[in-house]
Every structure is written in C-alpha cells, then in structure tokens.
Amino acid sequence: QLHLWEPGGGWVQTGGSLKLSCVVSGYPYRQWPMAWFRQAPGKEREGVAFIRDGDTDYADFVRGRFTISQGNGEPTSHLKMNSLKPEDTATYYCAFSDGGVEIWGDVSEYHYWGQGTQVTVTS
C-alpha cells in the first residue's frame, strides 16, 4: 500500500527554520518528480518547490528562503525552510508523479499526495 509520511511540521517564531520530510513507502523506487505544496485556510493549494533529476524550481515567494532536496537512493524529499514569515503558515503537502510533469505548480500533475503537515509561524 502506497503511503507518504510527512514528519517535521510544527510551530516556529518569525525568522526561524523548520525542515519537512516526505517519506514514500509501498511503491517501487526511482527518482520521481516531487513537489511541495501548501494550503492556508480559505486559500487554494499552491506550489512551493519542485525537484526533478536534481533540477529545482521555487515559487517566487519562497525563493532564496526554502530549499528542496531529494534522497540519494532513498524515496524521500526534504524541504528546508529558513527565514519563516507568518504568511508561510499553512498545511504543507508533498506530492509526486510517476509520470511526466509539465507545469509543476499544477496540482493535477501529481498522482500521489501526503496527508499534510501543519506549519505555524508566530509573529
């Protein structure tokens, strides 16, 4: 059974850091395209960061503050978040596709999703 596990959420003060992880189990491993999204209450889910074959891309609102990485030989993805702001407060989701991804920020591109982990940044 496929399962995406996302440890690492929590509370942090403005300017602090958190690291999220996404662990995939129950699926044959290879380096699929993986992404992180977030969704704040009352807002649509939005793409945060993407990685594919070592190449990365970021939403402008996190560029320079967040870093996405992928496990080397392991079915994992990590999102290191620095200089956190209150507006980063949201539920964060990892996602992966076992096919191609054309528009990485489009939720419909991904076949599998984690359950989400809450990140709260206090001012």
Side-chain angles (χ1 to χ4, degrees), residues 3-122:
H3 182 66
L4 281 74
W5 178 50
E6 298 165 331
W11 293 73
V12 65
Q13 290 186 326
T14 297
S17 298
L18 281 175
K19 183 177 181 180
L20 306 181
S21 297
C22 178
V23 182
V24 181
S25 63
Y27 200 83
Y29 171 70
R30 66 179 180 89
Q31 284 204 332
W32 313 281
M34 297 187 75
W36 287 88
F37 286 74
R38 70 185 187 186
Q39 188 167 19
K43 295 188 177 181
E44 292 188 352
R45 193 168 297 190
E46 58 185 1
V48 174
F50 174 75
I51 187 166
R52 175 173 51 196
D53 295 331
D55 292 329
T56 59
D57 199 6
Y58 299 89
D60 287 343
F61 51 80
V62 303
R63 194 181 306 274
R65 300 189 296 124
F66 290 13
T67 303
I68 188 172
S69 61
Q70 199 163 19
N72 189 14
E74 299 176 342
T76 60
S77 176
H78 305 285
L79 185 69
K80 181 65 187 304
M81 306 183 294
N82 295 325
S83 302
L84 283 161
K85 307 174 182 179
E87 51 263 45
D88 294 318
T89 295
T91 301
Y92 284 71
Y93 299 87
C94 70
F96 79 86
S97 169
D98 58 3
V101 172
E102 294 189 5
I103 304 174
W104 73 262
D106 185 345
V107 298
S108 68
E109 295 272 13
Y110 300 90
H111 306 100
Y112 304 103
W113 291 83
Q115 80 286 353
T117 186
Q118 179 65 35
V119 171
T120 302
V121 184
T122 59

